[in-house]
Every structure is written in structure tokens, then in C-alpha cells.
Amino acid sequence: MPTESASCSTSRQAKQKRKSHSLSIRRTNSSEQERTGLPRDMLEGQDSKLPSSVRSTLLELFGQIEREFENLYIENLESSHSTSQLSQKLKTTYKASTSKIVSSFKTTTSRAACQLVKEYIGHRDGIWDVSVARTQPVVLGTASADHTALLWSIETGKCLVKYAGHVGSASGDQTAHIWRYAVQLPTPQPVADTSQISGEDEVECSDKDEPDLDGDVSSDCPTIRVPLTSLKSHQGVVIAADWLVGGKQAVTASWDRTANLYDVETSELVHSLTGHDQELTHCCTHPTQRLVVTSSRDTTFRLWDFRDPSIHSVNVFQGHTDTVTSAVFTVGDNVVSGSDDRTVKVWDLKNMRSPIATIRTDSAINRINVCVGQKIIALPHDNRQVRLFDMSGVRLARLPRSSRQGHRRMVCCSAWSEDHPVCNLFTCGFDRQAIGWNINIPALLQEK
């Protein structure tokens, strides 16, 4: 027993001795502990043979080292941020300057390749539509909100015939009229050279700069007031019309959400094309096949197939997010659509799921037209600009616009006349004028 008691006493003394050697330094300054970044349990439970004063000094020194590294780290971050800002500033400045240089080159190219040739002034209100005759004699036609349609000599700018048979703006009388005209083209005069007109493209123009229309130049030309045929079936404004291949049938588009196919000789309604959810904005026919495309405010356009007399199929194209202002046929199996969502899209009729090209712009797009031979799209904009793109979406030019030339309000429509030697592109707008342009297409394509 005494031997056992002695061994227990010896064991307790050894434990106390080991405990005294494993005493940890307890720091009472919690903020100092946080600065060193060491957890409390690491400070309290570690075995150390260093005197407490030495260990305390070391911890203090390590804390100072950590603070120095922290300050250096912060300085490096600030230096890196300022360097990044300087680099970004240099990039922005460089990009702006180079963009300005490139833009100046493009402007010069556009002015050289795109020249204003003739202004056709005579309407009393905005012009909704412009087109060029497909047969001889080749004349320019315009339809206006002033209830009239005018035919013009392309070369001289003289009004040849006025049609005043409608009682509403842009066929607001819910009818489409077919009328016959006979004109004798005047002798062309030398075309004034407008290439020397200077001025920046982005000059702002006020309403006071609009053409002086106090004199009605169309008052001297013959006036037709009775149509040859009147097509009546719509319950709303007729906004567009076109001929089917062969010339025996015509199609019309209306705000009553339908398009109608008529027999021209009998004026009878052959088909009523229904399916759009909102007002129609445009219709177009294929130049060689019995195909019709209609566009609408419901953000879609539809392809109607009349090639098989027993089956009239329809395909719906969905790809825009706003009103589809127009859709037109082009080469092959392609259709080009323009929209108020500021995009133009090129579609393959064999694959309607997604467009093969998309053009994004900065303004709503109105009635587009395609130069089929050269595959160039003319885009009339709400912001008074007219831009030219190829079918792959590459921008070719912007038509010149200044305080002395170009459109002064929204441009509504464009029309190509590829083979005309003087003017091969026409535009019209709410500034009550149509403009004839000479586009040097080889020069544009060479700069592409």
C-alpha cells in the first residue's frame, strides 16, 4: 500500500510538471488577435518551451509583418486599378479617334458613290409609297396622304399624270383602284451636278427647311378621276397592293387584318387571306411564281402559296419583336423582312426557324426594297436616314443628308430601278418629296 501511494503521488507531480510546461499565452486584446489573423484556439492549446515574454514579442512582430504585407497588398490593388483605368482611357480615346477617321473615309466614299440626282416635289402631304413602272414607258409613281397618286418623268422631274379618284388618304376609302394612263415623256434636260454640295451628314433640319410647296406643280398635268376598275371587299384602310405574275390577278393588304386576291377583269374576290392577328402593313408578290408575302403589326409575316390551284398553303415566319413593316422577295428562295424593332432579317424559305442574316440598326425600318441583280438592300428609316446593306449584313453606305439635300422627315419607302441610266434608287417620305439617287454599285462593292 505505501508503495502504491508513493507511485500515485509521483504520477500527480509528473502531470503537474507537464501542465506547467504546456501553459499557453492568453491574449486579452481581442482586436490585436484579429489583426494577427490567428485563431484563439491556436494560441491557447499549443506546447511551447519559449518564455511567455519572448512568445508575446514574437506574436507582436508577426502582427506587424502581417500589417505591412496588408498595406503593400492594398497599394498594389490601387496601383493596378489606376493602371487599368489609364489603359481603358487610352483604348477609348484610340477607338474614338480611329472610328472618326474610318467614318470620315466611309462618308467620303458614300458621297462619291451615292449622289442625289433629282427631287420630285408636288404632293401636298407625306408620301407613303414610291415605285417604278416595270414596263415601257418607265415612269416613277408616288402615292400620298393628300389623296392623290402622281406619275413623274424620272429624267426631268416633271409631273405627268395625277390620279385623284380616291376619297381617303392612302386608300382610306377601303378600296383599291386600277386606272389606265397614257403619257408622253418630255425631252430630258442636262442633269445638275450635285456632287459638289457640301455639308455633314448629321446636320439637323427644321420644318422650315422643307421644300416650298406654295405652287402646286401637279396642277398643270392631266388629272384622272375615274378608275378603270375598283376592288371592293375590305372593311378597313387598304395599305398596299401588288400584281401577281401574269397581271391577271392583284393582291391587296388592309388594316382589317386580311389580304384579298382579286380577278382584275371581273373585280371579283378570289381568296380572302386571313390569319394575321393585327393590321397588315404590306404585301408583296414573287416576280416569277404565284407566291405572296404579307406583313403585319402582329410581329409576323406570312408566305401564301398559290402555285397549286387545289392547295393554298401558308407559312408563318416569327422572328421579330415589333411590327413587321415590310417583307419582300429577292433572289432564289430568300425573303427579306424589316421591322420597327430596328432589325432587317434575311430568310431562307426552306428553313423558317431562324434567319440566315440579321442587320441591326439604330432606328425603326420602313418599306425596304432589294436590288435583285446586285443583292443590295435599301433601308429607309424613321430617323431620316437611308442605308444600304448587302444580303450578308455588311453595311455598304449611307445616303448623303445635309441641310441642303436628303430627306428632312421620316423616310417611308425605297424602290430600285436597276437598269435606269440616271436614277437607280428612289426614296420618299413625310417631307412630301421623292428623291432620285444615282448609286455607283461597282464602287460600293469594291469598297466592301
Side-chain angles (χ1 to χ4, degrees):
M1 291 298 291
T3 302
E4 187 177 358
S5 299
S7 68
C8 289
S9 175
T10 303
S11 176
R12 282 195 297 271
Q13 290 175 0
K15 289 182 179 178
Q16 289 176 356
K17 187 175 182 179
R18 286 197 300 271
K19 187 176 180 181
S20 65
H21 284 297
S22 63
L23 288 175
S24 61
I25 300 174
R26 296 180 180 272
R27 301 182 66 110
T28 57
N29 190 344
S30 61
S31 62
E32 187 68 24
Q33 177 183 332
E34 291 174 359
R35 283 197 298 269
T36 61
L38 296 175
R40 178 181 291 272
D41 55 357
M42 291 182 64
L43 294 174
E44 293 180 350
Q46 298 176 353
D47 294 335
S48 177
K49 296 181 181 180
L50 295 174
S52 59
S53 59
V54 175
R55 192 176 186 195
S56 178
T57 302
L58 285 174
L59 289 174
E60 179 64 29
L61 291 174
F62 279 123
Q64 293 178 8
I65 293 172
E66 183 184 9
R67 288 193 293 274
E68 288 297 326
F69 272 106
E70 183 179 1
N71 292 333
L72 287 173
Y73 178 73
I74 293 174
E75 290 178 3
N76 285 335
L77 283 180
E78 293 176 349
S79 175
S80 175
H81 181 65
S82 61
T83 303
S84 176
Q85 284 183 332
L86 178 61
S87 175
Q88 185 64 33
K89 187 175 181 180
L90 288 173
K91 287 180 180 179
T92 303
T93 305
Y94 174 76
K95 184 177 180 181
S97 60
T98 53
S99 297
K100 188 174 182 180
I101 294 172
V102 172
S103 178
S104 66
F105 279 119
K106 284 187 175 181
T107 300
T108 303
T109 303
S110 296
R111 287 176 181 166
C114 309
Q115 296 184 10
L116 186 153
V117 177
K118 186 68 65 175
E119 294 177 336
Y120 305 88
I121 301 175
H123 280 292
R124 307 294 298 180
D125 207 338
I127 303 175
W128 286 100
D129 198 81
V130 62
S131 62
V132 182
R134 302 174 185 175
T135 59
Q136 295 293 335
V138 179
V139 294
L140 181 70
T142 54
S144 170
D146 63 7
H147 305 182
T148 69
L150 301 180
L151 297 184
W152 307 83
S153 166
I154 294 177
E155 294 81 3
T156 66
K158 180 181 178 181
C159 178
L160 304 174
V161 175
K162 181 201 299 189
Y163 180 75
H166 285 288
V167 295
S169 168
S171 293
D173 56 8
Q174 304 178 4
T175 66
H177 291 182
I178 298 174
W179 43 283
R180 192 186 303 276
Y181 67 90
V183 297
Q184 182 166 358
L185 299 179
T187 303
Q189 299 295 323
V191 178
D193 183 9
T194 59
S195 62
Q196 302 301 320
I197 296 178
S198 62
E200 296 299 325
D201 285 348
E202 293 299 335
V203 173
E204 294 297 325
C205 307
S206 65
D207 293 343
K208 295 180 181 179
D209 296 325
E210 290 187 9
D212 184 8
L213 300 180
D214 290 339
D216 187 356
V217 300
S218 65
S219 60
D220 298 332
C221 64
T223 300
I224 301 174
R225 300 185 184 277
V226 180
L228 190 66
T229 302
S230 182
L231 307 178
K232 303 176 182 179
S233 287
H234 284 294
Q235 303 300 314
V237 170
V238 178
I239 196 63
D242 203 357
W243 295 92
L244 253 69
V245 58
K248 295 183 179 180
Q249 292 181 324
V251 62
T252 57
S254 171
W255 285 358
D256 64 6
R257 306 183 182 184
T258 69
N260 287 341
L261 183 64
Y262 294 93
D263 184 292
V264 174
E265 293 182 0
T266 63
S267 302
E268 293 181 357
L269 177 65
V270 178
H271 293 291
S272 183
L273 313 181
T274 61
H276 281 292
D277 295 330
Q278 294 189 42
E279 295 93 333
L280 271 64
T281 57
H282 191 246
C283 65
C284 179
T285 60
H286 194 281
T288 61
Q289 302 183 61
R290 291 177 57 81
L291 298 172
V292 177
V293 63
T294 57
S295 53
S296 170
R297 291 185 60 189
D298 62 9
T299 73
T300 71
F301 66 95
R302 296 177 178 237
L303 174 67
W304 311 82
D305 190 345
F306 297 101
R307 289 176 293 186
D308 187 342
S310 61
I311 302 174
H312 302 142
S313 63
V314 58
N315 295 311
V316 182
F317 290 74
Q318 296 177 326
H320 289 286
T321 59
D322 206 337
T323 298
V324 180
T325 52
S326 63
V328 297
F329 290 100
T330 180
V331 292
D333 293 323
N334 292 338
V335 170
V336 182
S337 60
S339 171
D340 279 345
D341 65 8
R342 304 181 180 183
T343 67
V344 169
K345 300 190 177 186
V346 182
W347 305 81
D348 187 346
L349 297 181
K350 298 176 182 177
N351 180 15
M352 300 181 295
R353 294 183 179 179
S354 60
I356 59 178
T358 298
I359 301 170
R360 304 186 186 280
T361 69
D362 59 353
S363 178
I365 298 154
N366 297 307
R367 293 187 177 181
I368 60 177
N369 197 250
V370 179
C371 177
V372 176
Q374 301 295 334
K375 301 180 182 179
I376 299 177
I377 313 170
L379 279 59
H381 289 282
D382 275 3
N383 66 358
R384 300 172 288 182
Q385 301 289 353
V386 180
R387 294 183 173 92
L388 305 180
F389 286 81
D390 69 9
M391 294 286 288
S392 62
V394 176
R395 175 177 160 179
L396 301 177
R398 180 179 62 190
L399 301 192
R401 190 181 70 82
S402 70
S403 59
R404 288 185 283 179
Q405 68 170 335
H407 286 287
R408 297 164 177 82
R409 288 193 178 181
M410 179 179 78
V411 189
C412 299
C413 184
S414 60
W416 288 95
S417 180
E418 300 180 42
D419 299 327
H420 199 280
V422 179
C423 301
N424 54 359
L425 177 63
F426 299 90
T427 58
C428 67
F430 273 10
D431 55 1
R432 297 176 281 178
Q433 67 172 337
I435 298 178
W437 305 87
N438 181 271
I439 309 299
N440 188 341
I441 296 178
L444 287 184
L445 298 178
Q446 185 178 1
E447 294 292 333
K448 188 169 76 168

